[in-house]
């Protein structure tokens, strides 16, 4: 049942089920660690096995293919040779990006309130494991901050001590070369990619939002605020403008509004909340019907005196099939603007040249991002 009260905790278990290495105690398997000496021996063996790894001779330092060359620009770029599109590395070699996401240390897991499950957890003042005592974004809840534990990092510290991070970098760089990976994928340790000089892609942070949302996390895309926040969003690329190892960037991943089939404009009218996008819809629908309210009423099975009246209305069902299609047509405009405004901010001449270190792909001087009309 649903309750406002926090449930009482389960009574502590008599015997812990997670060992000091972070492994499940109640089952054995091939490869399970049984002692610190075994852990150290295995990790040092892995380190030795990859320390001399390198890319094939016909790969350049970026992981590009030397046997197919294009013009070198000093940065990653794309080129169509008349038959197909190619990704080209900074030295002008054809580049087939082979990457893995989430190449990073961690992640930690919460242990607050379930400490009885573990054989061992580091003490609050244990400086040997301070690298794990970090508050992770996403671990904050209404009841406070969960304590985290990262057995992966703890085991690295057991093997390498204070040098665990640099040793992880070396081993991971060797494994990447061994497995012929030439790209550090999304949600990875960018500092690692920079230090080990491995091409990487950048997931941009804080996709522009607005104070109000129209449906789930879909912003008010016709609000001036959305354009302003898009410029701020674009400016984060300036930090990477001189880095030839950055292949490119991703603007957004898995927005909540995109899960499932949704008619966004219709969902926007699920409440009476006012917005710039709703204002734009009223103007758009009026123009679509030539300002003829009777024609609109007939198509939508409504009896309005003017188009403005629809702005304060809410709908639990489509008033007609034509309303469904009209709403969906405007939804396409909403989604296009959702993508266009941030993309226009990134390709604004001033921002583009600062962020990429290259001249913008057009000559016209841009003093302001031009408005988009639909």
């Amino acid at each position: 049942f649903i309750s406002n009260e926090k449930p009482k905790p389960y009574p502590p278990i008599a015997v812990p089920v997670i060992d000091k290495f972070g492994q499940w105690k109640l089952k054995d398997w091939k490869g399970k660690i049984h002692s610190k000496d075994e852990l150290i021996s295995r990790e040092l063996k892995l380190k030795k096995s990859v320390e001399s790894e390198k890319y094939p001779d016909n790969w350049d330092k970026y992981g590009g293919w030397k046997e197919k060359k294009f013009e070198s620009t000093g940065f990653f770029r794309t080129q169509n040779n008349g038959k197909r599109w190619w990704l080209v590395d900074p030295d002008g070699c054809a580049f087939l990006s082979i990457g893995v996401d989430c190449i990073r240390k961690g992640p930690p897991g919460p242990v607050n309130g379930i400490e009885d499950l573990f054989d061992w957890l580091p003490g609050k003042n244990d400086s040997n494991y301070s690298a794990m005592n970090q508050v992770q974004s996403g671990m904050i809840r209404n009841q406070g901050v969960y304590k985290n534990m990262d057995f992966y990092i703890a085991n690295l510290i057991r093997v390498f001590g204070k040098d665990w991070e640099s040793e992880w970098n070396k081993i991971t760089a060797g494994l990447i070369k061994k497995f012929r990976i030439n790209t550090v994928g999304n949600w990875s340790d960018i500092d690692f990619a920079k230090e080990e000089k491995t091409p990487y892609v950048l997931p941009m942070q804080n996709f522009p939002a607005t104070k109000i949302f129209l449906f789930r996390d879909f912003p008010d895309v016709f609000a001036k605020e959305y354009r302003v926040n898009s410029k701020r969003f674009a400016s984060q690329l300036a930090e990477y403008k001189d880095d030839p190892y950055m292949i490119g960037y991703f603007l957004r991943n898995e927005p909540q509004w995109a899960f499932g089939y949704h008619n966004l404009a219709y969902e926007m009218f699920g409440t009476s909340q006012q917005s710039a996008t709703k204002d734009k819809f009223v103007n758009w629908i009026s123009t679509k019907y030539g300002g003829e309210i009777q024609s609109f009423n007939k198509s939508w099975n409504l009896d309005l005196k003017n188009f403005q009246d629809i702005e304060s209305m809410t709908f639990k069902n489509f008033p007609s099939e034509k309303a469904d299609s009209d709403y969906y047509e405007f939804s396409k405009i909403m989604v296009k603007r959702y993508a266009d405004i941030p993309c226009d901010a990134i390709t604004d001449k001033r921002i583009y040249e600062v962020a990429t270190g290259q001249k913008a792909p057009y000559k016209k001087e841009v003093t302001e991002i031009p408005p988009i009309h639909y």
Side-chain angles (χ1 to χ4, degrees), residues 5-296:
E5 301 297 324
K6 183 179 179 179
K8 294 181 179 180
Y10 287 106
I13 60 176
V15 179
V17 293
I18 306 296
D19 70 15
K20 64 181 180 180
F21 303 111
Q23 302 171 120
W24 182 245
K25 292 177 62 177
L26 306 185
K27 187 175 178 62
D28 206 357
W29 60 86
K30 183 180 179 180
K32 187 175 184 179
I33 296 295
H34 297 92
S35 70
K36 182 177 178 180
D37 288 343
E38 184 181 350
L39 173 67
I40 293 173
S41 174
R42 183 179 299 181
E43 197 67 19
L44 292 179
K45 183 179 180 181
L46 173 63
K47 176 186 174 181
K48 185 176 181 180
S49 71
V50 299
E51 61 186 6
S52 61
E53 289 288 344
K54 60 181 182 179
Y55 288 138
D57 291 339
N58 64 345
W59 288 23
D60 69 3
K61 66 179 182 180
Y62 297 101
W65 188 37
K66 294 179 181 178
E67 297 178 26
K68 188 167 187 63
K69 296 281 289 186
F70 298 91
E71 180 185 357
S72 170
T73 64
F75 292 93
F76 277 93
R77 64 184 183 85
T78 57
Q79 179 169 327
N80 191 311
N81 67 348
K83 294 182 179 180
R84 59 179 60 86
W85 283 98
W86 290 89
L87 190 57
V88 181
D89 76 15
D91 283 348
C93 294
F95 188 85
L96 176 62
S97 179
I98 304 170
V100 176
D101 286 345
C102 304
I103 298 177
R104 63 180 186 235
K105 312 162 192 77
V111 296
N112 191 46
I114 55 173
E115 291 88 347
D116 56 303
L117 301 181
F118 302 92
D119 265 344
W120 169 86
L121 292 171
K124 292 181 179 179
N125 299 319
D126 191 338
S127 60
N128 292 326
Y129 297 95
S130 59
M132 298 178 300
N133 298 331
Q134 300 174 6
V135 177
Q136 302 288 327
S137 61
M139 301 303 294
I140 299 175
R141 300 291 185 268
N142 292 334
Q143 300 299 324
V145 179
Y146 285 157
K147 299 175 184 176
N148 299 316
M149 176 60 196
D150 194 320
F151 283 100
Y152 182 58
I153 293 179
N155 290 335
L156 287 169
I157 293 172
R158 288 186 173 106
V159 177
F160 299 112
K162 60 183 177 58
D163 296 326
W164 69 271
E165 192 164 9
S166 63
E167 294 295 337
W168 179 88
N169 285 356
K170 294 174 186 176
I171 293 172
T172 304
L175 287 170
I176 284 175
K177 291 181 174 66
K178 179 179 180 178
F179 298 138
R180 301 299 186 250
I181 293 169
N182 63 6
T183 302
V184 173
N186 249 359
W187 311 293
S188 295
D189 187 336
I190 300 300
D191 289 338
F192 158 75
K194 289 182 174 181
E195 182 173 333
E196 297 300 328
K197 297 190 181 303
T198 303
Y200 65 92
V201 293
L202 178 73
M204 295 180 69
Q205 303 297 313
N206 302 315
F207 189 87
T210 52
K211 291 179 181 178
I212 64 172
F213 295 104
L214 306 181
F215 172 66
R216 295 181 182 170
D217 60 349
F218 195 91
D220 187 3
V221 292
F222 280 94
K224 180 180 179 181
E225 175 190 8
Y226 188 63
R227 191 182 294 278
V228 170
N229 290 341
S230 292
K231 291 182 181 180
R232 185 179 298 113
F233 172 71
S235 67
Q236 68 187 274
L237 291 175
E239 178 185 345
Y240 303 89
K241 69 182 181 66
D242 296 321
D243 192 349
Y245 286 89
M246 187 183 78
I247 298 172
Y249 45 85
F250 290 91
L251 277 72
R252 186 72 199 270
N253 181 64
E254 298 179 357
Q256 296 173 20
W257 62 265
F259 283 89
Y261 173 86
H262 298 287
N263 189 324
L264 289 174
Y266 168 70
E267 298 290 354
M268 176 174 65
F269 278 86
T271 73
S272 59
Q273 175 181 256
Q274 298 302 295
S275 65
T277 304
K278 193 173 282 189
D279 289 341
K280 179 63 67 172
F281 174 82
V282 173
N283 294 335
W284 176 84
I285 198 71
S286 175
T287 300
K288 180 178 175 64
Y289 283 88
E292 296 292 333
I293 189 65
Q294 295 304 322
S295 175
F296 172 72

